[in-house]
Amino acid sequence: ADGSSVTWDRDSIPIVEKLPASLHFVVHDAAGKPVTLEPYLGMAAHAVVMRDDGTVFIHLHPSGTASMGAQQAFVLRQRGDTGASAIGRSIARADSAMTRMQTTAMPGDFSFPYAFPRAGSYRIWVQFKRAGTVQTVAFDASVSAGAAAR
């Protein structure tokens, strides 16, 4: 609605199962210039990848797919905090993850770390926030079998 567009910035190398894939996207304004995004749940973007038969479904973040709780535990972990109770106390002392999410503008250029687990046809939905509105775009991907699977 605002004239922006999203480009999947990928090379011509085919996507192969079990190998890192190039999931790099750039949001442009109506004039074709890269834009700044508003944080959406603390991140520049989110993505969902689904295989056409429904056997693969995953929600991705530019920072990886670890849950926010796990990311918070890693950040708060101190040397020697290897027991669940020690980490739990550290988390309990801190504010919730939601209150520490990034609130400043983010570049409209982001990547998701991912390797498709199986060959086949996939759809990728990418969401980002711009001008107060969450926008969703979809891309299709064809993933080839790896050399060992042929």
Side-chain angles (χ1 to χ4, degrees):
D2 67 0
S4 62
S5 63
V6 182
T7 302
W8 181 0
D9 185 18
R10 55 178 292 218
D11 49 36
S12 60
I13 298 171
I15 300 171
V16 178
E17 67 181 349
K18 300 178 184 168
L19 296 177
S22 175
L23 296 181
H24 177 236
F25 300 90
V26 182
V27 183
H28 299 90
D29 64 16
K33 296 180 182 175
V35 302
T36 301
L37 301 176
E38 298 167 27
Y40 174 43
L41 297 174
M43 298 179 193
H46 297 259
V48 167
V49 175
M50 189 171 97
R51 195 167 186 271
D52 65 351
D53 64 1
T55 59
V56 175
F57 182 92
I58 188 163
H59 178 179
L60 302 174
H61 299 131
S63 61
T65 56
S67 71
M68 292 200 65
Q71 290 177 25
Q72 183 180 17
F74 288 129
V75 168
L76 295 174
R77 184 179 175 278
Q78 300 295 317
R79 183 175 216 122
D81 282 354
T82 57
S85 62
I87 293 171
R89 284 191 302 273
S90 295
I91 292 172
R93 283 191 302 267
D95 293 335
S96 74
M98 295 297 282
T99 61
R100 287 193 314 275
M101 286 185 177
Q102 185 164 342
T103 57
T104 58
M106 301 176 163
D109 179 319
F110 47 85
S111 297
F112 300 95
Y114 191 62
F116 291 85
R118 297 177 42 214
S121 296
Y122 290 79
R123 174 146 289 183
I124 304 163
W125 288 271
V126 176
Q127 287 189 314
F128 58 91
K129 188 174 180 183
R130 186 158 189 269
T133 302
V134 175
Q135 299 183 31
T136 305
V137 295
F139 297 89
D140 292 320
S142 178
V143 178
S144 302
R150 291 185 189 146

